[in-house]
Amino acid sequence: MDHKSHGLNTLCTHAGELEDSVYKGAVSPLYMSTSYAFEDVEVKRYPRYFNTPNQVALAKKIATLEYGEEALIFGSGMAAVSTALMAFLHKGDHVVFQNTLYGGTSNLVVEEFDKFGIEYSFTVDCKPASFEAEIKENTKVIYIETPSNPLLTITDVQAVAGIAKKHNLVSMIDNTFASPVNQNPIKLGIDIVIHSATKYMGGHSDILAGALISSKEHMDTIFQLAKNFGGSLSDYTVWLLERSIKTMGLRVKAQNKNAGKLAKYLENHPDVARVYYPGLESHPDHELAKEQMKGFGGMLSFELRDGLDADIFQKKLKLIKSSMSLAGVESTILSPSKTSHGLLTPEEREKQGIKDGLLRFSVGIEEKKDLIADIEQALKEVRA
Ligand SMILES: *Cc1c(COP(=O)(O)O)cnc(C)c1O
């Protein structure tokens, strides 16, 4: 079952599913065993080897959705990120990172890479030429993240993948913000796709998981390290994640639609100074986003006009909860300068264009009119 024979929601629902041959149940049976009798000398089935029935089934679903040959599922997004990087970087190697990275990823790089003797550079911006400018003789990997957090900057995936190929480097993308519903980087030439499945794949703010998708050859390299690092996901959570992904297409399309409408509403609001959403024509990367994405996603950011306190606004919201995470069916909001980017100096934030009053809004599936009513009542309180 693949994209040639079936559409997105069919694949989300059925790709990879296990057949219940005993009871003919509607869903994949859950196999919790950590110990399996030897079938032959070759197959050693064990959860840390990523090869239990449920792990293999879900990996097939995720690989199919991302147009990859194979996938592995991890205990967190960061387990996936760190395993992907460490699988292709050795002592003395160099890696080029996009300047705007998920906080956990930049912590991994800045706090850990020195002790493994791995060199790294960050680009000055997200333009393809800025990635090429950082390539050195010992560069092995280029790593991008688009749309980026929190300003939803768009990196030209095809152009960067082309640069990686030209210089014989492995290209990696954190595709979490887009989800496989909105962006399929392997089709744009990227080697390895990374997901924090905690976000849109899980979608209900109750699962921590990660995934890597690539060719069989690259996944073999990753597996050799992954089984030693031990970051696999428990079968029960694998089974829950399979259930979540069945509705991913429906959820993410609803979130795209809500976010698009809210972005327009906020952009036209006299109390809002600026909105960052790749679906808006005013977004500097709108055309690029249109080319490489199938939908613009459920994430947006905005700044209130001068004189309106973003902290108070956030506190006065009732339906939209202040929360660290994102991509759930429930709408959430946070202040990047106080949370995800709170460890940066004010100068570093300024350089990245992150104002203190910026709010990052993860749009859920609630009714648009209820979300707008909540924003209106909170603005009224702030103006008072
Ligand atoms: C959340 C997130 C991660 C890390 O995932 P965890 O599941 O929290 O380990 C990585 N990249 C992006 C873009 C994220 O949003």
Side-chain angles (χ1 to χ4, degrees), residues 76-79 81 102 105 145 174 176-177 196-199 208-210 326:
S76 71
M78 284 314 302
V81 169
Y102 173 73
T105 306
E145 189 177 320
D174 185 331
T176 301
F177 266 39
S196 167
T198 312
K199 312 298 164 53
L208 187 79
L326 60 107

Coordinates of all heavy atoms in Angstrom, one line a residue, residues 76-79 81 102 105 145 174 176-177 196-199 208-210 326, ligand 1:
S76 N 11.7 9.4 21.8 CA 11.5 10.8 21.8 C 12.0 11.4 20.5 O 12.8 10.7 19.8 CB 12.2 11.5 23.0 OG 13.6 11.5 22.8
G77 N 11.6 12.6 20.2 CA 12.1 13.3 19.0 C 13.6 13.5 19.2 O 14.4 13.3 18.2
M78 N 14.1 13.8 20.4 CA 15.5 14.1 20.6 C 16.3 12.8 20.4 O 17.5 12.8 20.0 CB 15.8 14.7 21.9 CG 15.5 16.2 22.0 SD 16.1 17.2 20.6 CE 17.8 16.9 20.7
A79 N 15.7 11.6 20.8 CA 16.4 10.3 20.5 C 16.6 10.1 19.0 O 17.7 9.7 18.6 CB 15.6 9.2 21.1
V81 N 16.7 12.7 16.7 CA 17.7 13.7 16.3 C 19.1 13.2 16.6 O 20.0 13.3 15.7 CB 17.4 15.0 17.0 CG1 18.5 16.0 16.7 CG2 16.1 15.6 16.5
Y102 N 15.3 24.0 16.6 CA 14.6 23.6 17.8 C 15.5 23.7 19.0 O 16.7 23.2 18.9 CB 14.0 22.2 17.7 CG 13.3 21.7 18.9 CD1 12.1 22.2 19.4 CD2 14.0 20.7 19.7 CE1 11.5 21.7 20.5 CE2 13.4 20.2 20.8 CZ 12.2 20.7 21.3 OH 11.6 20.2 22.4
T105 N 17.6 20.7 20.1 CA 18.6 20.3 19.1 C 19.8 21.2 19.3 O 21.0 20.7 19.3 CB 18.1 20.4 17.7 OG1 16.9 19.6 17.6 CG2 19.1 19.9 16.6
E145 N 15.7 22.8 9.2 CA 14.4 22.7 9.9 C 13.5 23.7 9.3 O 13.7 24.9 9.4 CB 14.7 23.0 11.4 CG 13.5 22.7 12.3 CD 13.9 22.9 13.7 OE1 15.0 22.6 14.2 OE2 13.0 23.5 14.4
D174 N 14.5 18.3 10.0 CA 13.6 18.2 11.0 C 12.2 18.6 10.4 O 12.0 19.8 10.2 CB 13.9 19.0 12.3 CG 13.0 18.8 13.4 OD1 11.8 18.5 13.2 OD2 13.4 18.9 14.6
T176 N 9.2 18.2 11.7 CA 8.2 18.1 12.7 C 7.1 19.2 12.5 O 5.9 18.8 12.6 CB 8.8 18.4 14.1 OG1 9.8 17.3 14.3 CG2 7.8 18.3 15.2
F177 N 7.4 20.4 12.2 CA 6.4 21.5 12.1 C 5.5 21.3 11.0 O 4.3 21.6 11.0 CB 7.1 22.9 12.0 CG 7.3 23.5 13.3 CD1 7.6 22.8 14.5 CD2 7.1 24.9 13.5 CE1 7.8 23.5 15.7 CE2 7.2 25.6 14.7 CZ 7.5 24.9 15.8
S196 N 9.7 14.7 15.5 CA 9.3 14.5 16.8 C 7.8 14.1 16.7 O 6.9 14.9 16.4 CB 9.4 15.8 17.7 OG 8.6 15.6 18.9
A197 N 7.6 12.8 16.9 CA 6.2 12.3 16.8 C 5.3 12.7 18.0 O 4.1 12.5 18.0 CB 6.2 10.7 16.7
T198 N 6.0 13.4 18.9 CA 5.3 14.0 20.1 C 4.3 15.0 19.6 O 3.3 15.3 20.2 CB 6.3 14.6 21.0 OG1 7.4 13.7 21.2 CG2 5.7 15.1 22.3
K199 N 4.5 15.6 18.4 CA 3.8 16.7 17.9 C 2.6 16.2 17.0 O 1.7 15.6 17.5 CB 4.7 17.7 17.2 CG 6.0 18.0 18.0 CD 5.7 18.7 19.3 CE 6.9 18.6 20.3 NZ 8.2 19.1 19.8
L208 N 5.1 10.8 23.8 CA 6.5 11.2 23.5 C 7.1 10.2 22.6 O 7.2 9.0 23.0 CB 7.3 11.4 24.8 CG 8.6 12.1 24.6 CD1 8.5 13.6 24.5 CD2 9.6 11.7 25.8
A209 N 7.5 10.6 21.4 CA 8.1 9.7 20.5 C 8.8 10.4 19.3 O 8.6 11.6 19.2 CB 7.0 8.8 19.9
G210 N 9.6 9.7 18.6 CA 10.3 10.3 17.5 C 10.4 9.3 16.3 O 10.1 8.1 16.5
L326 N 3.3 21.7 21.5 CA 2.6 22.2 20.4 C 1.9 21.0 19.6 O 2.3 19.8 19.8 CB 3.5 23.0 19.5 CG 4.7 22.2 18.9 CD1 4.6 21.9 17.5 CD2 6.0 23.0 19.2
Ligands
LIG1 C1 9.5 18.9 20.1 C2 10.5 19.0 19.0 C3 11.6 18.2 18.9 C4 12.0 17.3 20.1 O1 11.1 16.3 20.2 P1 10.8 15.5 21.7 O2 9.8 14.5 21.3 O3 10.4 16.6 22.6 O4 12.1 14.9 22.1 C5 12.5 18.3 17.8 N1 12.2 19.2 16.8 C6 11.1 19.9 16.8 C7 10.9 20.9 15.7 C8 10.2 19.9 17.9 O5 9.1 20.7 17.9

